[in-house]
């Protein structure tokens, strides 16, 4: 599933991962943006740009109906984006700027009005669940990859202390939506984009200043 501007406006499309068959458009709006993730039941979470240029979180139901059924998950005056559903399908993690900057929140899914918990306190964006549902990852305000342990049951939610997992050496995205990393099914590896100039083993760029250039030139290439 991906976003494409074919047809003149951004919409959600999907196609078989092996490249067979034809691409099919799933939405027909004028403001659809990137798909964020899918729930175990196949419901797709995506964010949509509002007339005020904020973002709302929407749910797309893939049940074969034409057109596909779209229902709002979060529609406020704030910017909500990058919604991802926990592996058990009960919790929605997302980024929002309720406090004036982007932070990470969790709500019940799909009944998002049943509660809200703020996870980050110093800035955060683009959350990702571990595949066992016991950890939540996100980028901090400085671009470091953060982690938080999670204890959740069908009716209760608890998050542990946020800790730094990786230093800010990787592309954390622009913060306007769209994730730049993912975690492997076993939780032991991350697929990430290395930020330019972040390789500590590479020689740093240098500037060489040569004074008295004429004298240096004479020394290196004396006149015949």
């Amino acid at each position: 599933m991906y976003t494409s501007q074919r047809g003149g406006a951004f919409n959600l499309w999907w196609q078989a991962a092996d490249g067979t068959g034809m691409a099919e458009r799933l939405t027909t709006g004028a403001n659809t943006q990137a798909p964020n993730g899918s729930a175990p039941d196949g419901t797709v979470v995506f964010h949509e740009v509002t007339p005020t240029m904020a973002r709302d979180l929407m749910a797309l139901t893939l049940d074969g109906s034409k057109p596909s059924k779209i229902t709002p998950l979060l529609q406020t005056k704030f910017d909500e984006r990058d919604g991802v559903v926990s592996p058990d399908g009960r919790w929605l993690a997302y980024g929002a700027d309720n406090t004036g900057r982007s932070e990470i929140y969790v709500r019940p899914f799909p009944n998002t009005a049943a509660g809200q918990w703020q996870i980050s306190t110093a800035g955060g964006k683009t959350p990702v669940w571990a595949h066992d549902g016991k950890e939540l990852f996100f980028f901090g305000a400085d671009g470091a990859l953060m982690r938080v342990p999670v204890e959740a049951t069908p009716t209760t939610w608890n998050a542990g202390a946020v800790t730094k997992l990786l230093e800010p050496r990787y592309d954390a995205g622009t913060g306007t939506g769209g994730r730049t990393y993912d975690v492997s099914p076993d939780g032991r590896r991350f697929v990430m984009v290395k930020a330019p100039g972040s390789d500590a083993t590479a020689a740093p760029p240098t500037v060489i200043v040569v004074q008295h250039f004429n004298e240096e030139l004479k020394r290196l290439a004396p006149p015949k």
Side-chain angles (χ1 to χ4, degrees):
M1 188 169 298
Y2 56 93
T3 303
S4 175
Q5 202 177 6
R6 67 177 73 179
F10 284 105
N11 276 280
L12 299 187
W13 295 69
W14 71 345
Q15 186 172 0
D18 62 4
T20 60
M22 299 294 293
E24 178 184 358
R25 186 166 68 178
L26 299 174
T27 60
T28 57
N31 297 311
T32 300
Q33 293 293 316
N36 303 155
S38 59
D41 65 358
T43 300
V44 176
V45 178
F46 67 96
H47 56 245
E48 185 174 78
V49 179
T50 70
T52 62
M53 299 308 294
R55 293 167 181 80
D56 292 331
L57 286 177
M58 314 294 285
L60 173 70
T61 302
L62 298 176
D63 58 1
S65 58
K66 303 292 184 180
S68 300
K69 181 182 178 182
I70 297 176
T71 54
L73 287 174
L74 285 173
Q75 287 182 311
T76 73
K77 64 180 180 180
F78 301 108
D79 197 45
E80 294 104 6
R81 59 199 176 280
D82 298 319
V84 286
V85 179
S86 61
D88 64 3
R90 299 181 182 274
W91 308 99
L92 175 71
Y94 64 99
D97 61 357
N98 304 31
T99 62
R101 68 178 176 186
S102 180
E103 300 284 2
I104 301 300
Y105 298 87
V106 168
R107 289 176 181 259
F109 180 84
N111 184 17
T112 57
Q116 174 182 285
W117 297 268
Q118 183 172 339
I119 305 304
S120 63
T121 57
K125 58 184 179 180
T126 55
V128 172
W129 294 93
H131 285 254
D132 61 5
K134 296 181 180 180
E135 287 184 296
L136 189 63
F137 307 100
F138 62 91
F139 276 120
D142 64 350
L145 186 65
M146 314 300 287
R147 73 191 302 176
V148 56
V150 172
E151 293 182 6
T153 71
T155 57
T156 62
W157 163 269
N158 289 287
V162 176
T163 59
K164 182 185 294 187
L165 181 61
L166 294 173
E167 295 295 333
R169 296 176 50 207
Y170 302 93
D171 183 3
T174 62
T176 58
R179 182 154 42 93
T180 59
Y181 73 107
D182 208 347
V183 59
S184 65
D186 62 6
R188 300 177 61 185
R189 296 176 176 85
F190 290 89
V191 177
M192 311 185 78
V193 179
K194 184 180 292 185
S198 63
D199 190 348
T201 63
T206 59
V207 175
I208 300 174
V209 178
V210 179
Q211 296 179 317
H212 308 295
F213 176 74
N214 290 339
E215 297 300 321
E216 181 68 6
L217 182 60
K218 290 177 182 179
R219 183 184 69 82
L220 296 174
K224 296 182 180 178

